[in-house]
Amino acid sequence: MLSPELVKPHSNTALGCILVVEDETIIRNTIALALRDEGYEVITAEDGYSALGALENGDRVDLVVLDIMLPYINGLDFCRTIRHAGNSVPILMLSAKGSESDRIVGLEVGADDYLTKPFGMRELIARCRALMRRRIGYNQQTASSPVLKFGDLTMHLQECRVTVGDKEVSLSPKEFRLLELFMSHPRRVWSREQLLEKIWGTDFVGDSKTVDVHMRWLREKLETDPSDPKYLVTVRGFGYRLG
Ligand code: CA
């Protein structure tokens, strides 16, 4: 089993570090080179086991590009494992499978976005950029950092931090954007279709179950009793609202 290989960026002005996990050498190297050319620092791993090692070694990883079919630990199990451990690093999942159920499973185990092979490098880079922009914990200290408050919930937008009372909670980028939308429009009812369009974009080919899955995760993180939510409320026949 090989340990992760560090591909040095061209300069020390890397935009962030991306872990590329793919067992097919040509695809792995092509992705690594394309991302490095964009200015990212790239670490590669050829199986799920060494990918976990890379994260546990404390390497600063801002995004994981993750193939599903991998030796030892597959992409879905890798996702489950790190999410269970509380790691909210954004994950772009790659798969040769394009079916709806695979996409849903990918999102259910904690991926933030999903790309079906074969894909173009420009599309991969665009998706990576979008996920990096939303990176949780991407600290930008400013004196006038905007803050949204509702009850005990507080969102520090520029610091990408969320607290419930004085307890800090860790949200994935999608969860963060969903909550930001609700917190920006308290008591407004959003349909699942509106949430899909706002958060996942009009080109997302998923169904409204994706929204329900993310709402369930948000409730588990924010609510005292997720089965009787006081913040993220279901409006039967319409959708969801805050408060
Ligand atoms: Ca593979």
Side-chain angles (χ1 to χ4, degrees):
M1 212 173 297
L2 296 177
S3 53
E5 159 205 4
L6 182 66
V7 181
K8 289 283 178 207
H10 291 315
S11 71
N12 57 7
T13 57
L15 305 170
C17 179
I18 302 180
L19 170 61
V20 176
V21 193
E22 163 66 273
D23 58 322
E24 286 167 73
T25 310
I26 292 175
I27 299 179
R28 185 176 65 245
N29 290 344
T30 306
I31 293 174
L33 285 174
L35 291 173
R36 190 181 58 170
D37 279 345
E38 290 296 305
Y40 295 108
E41 187 183 336
V42 178
I43 300 172
T44 59
E46 56 187 56
D47 61 70
Y49 190 79
S50 38
L52 281 179
L55 286 184
E56 283 163 7
N57 284 343
D59 289 316
R60 187 183 62 99
V61 172
D62 301 296
L63 172 69
V64 181
V65 175
L66 178 69
D67 190 35
I68 287 187
M69 301 295 280
L70 292 169
Y72 307 117
I73 300 172
N74 70 34
L76 296 173
D77 287 337
F78 174 89
C79 242
R80 282 190 195 100
T81 304
I82 70 161
R83 292 301 189 232
H84 188 71
N87 190 328
S88 62
V89 64
I91 294 174
L92 171 60
M93 200 167 257
L94 308 179
S95 176
K97 305 171 177 177
S99 85
E100 204 51 39
S101 63
D102 288 318
R103 185 187 286 263
I104 297 285
V105 170
L107 295 171
E108 274 196 319
V109 298
D112 297 281
D113 200 358
Y114 193 103
L115 200 51
T116 304
K117 293 175 181 175
F119 51 81
M121 281 302 139
R122 285 175 65 178
E123 168 143 38
L124 177 102
I125 287 164
R127 303 275 189 114
C128 286
R129 268 206 206 113
L131 286 170
M132 292 289 259
R133 271 201 298 270
R134 301 175 215 147
R135 169 80 177 110
I136 299 302
Y138 187 78
N139 269 335
Q140 271 187 327
Q141 302 287 343
T142 62
S144 57
S145 177
V147 169
L148 294 175
K149 277 179 176 291
F150 187 88
D152 282 343
L153 303 181
T154 308
M155 293 189 86
H156 305 267
L157 295 183
Q158 288 190 352
E159 296 161 44
C160 297
R161 281 199 309 122
V162 177
T163 53
V164 183
D166 48 15
K167 194 184 91 185
E168 182 137 2
V169 290
S170 169
L171 300 187
S172 74
K174 280 276 187 317
E175 292 162 357
F176 190 89
R177 292 182 61 221
L178 258 177
L179 185 61
E180 183 184 354
L181 185 65
F182 282 106
M183 298 272 286
S184 306
H185 306 273
R187 299 203 165 81
R188 171 177 169 170
V189 178
W190 296 91
S191 70
R192 289 168 178 78
E193 291 68 30
Q194 286 171 326
L195 294 173
L196 270 181
E197 192 187 322
K198 287 272 181 193
I199 307 297
W200 280 264
T202 45
D203 58 344
F204 179 75
V205 200
D207 66 22
S208 55
K209 271 185 239 142
T210 306
V211 174
D212 296 332
V213 166
H214 281 78
M215 293 303 289
R216 197 176 74 221
W217 289 339
L218 265 179
R219 282 172 174 166
E220 282 167 5
K221 292 179 179 181
L222 303 176
E223 304 279 357
T224 315
D225 179 2
S227 61
D228 181 22
K230 69 171 179 168
Y231 292 120
L232 297 167
V233 180
T234 302
V235 183
R236 206 164 290 280
F238 291 97
Y240 296 100
R241 100 177 162 229
L242 175 71

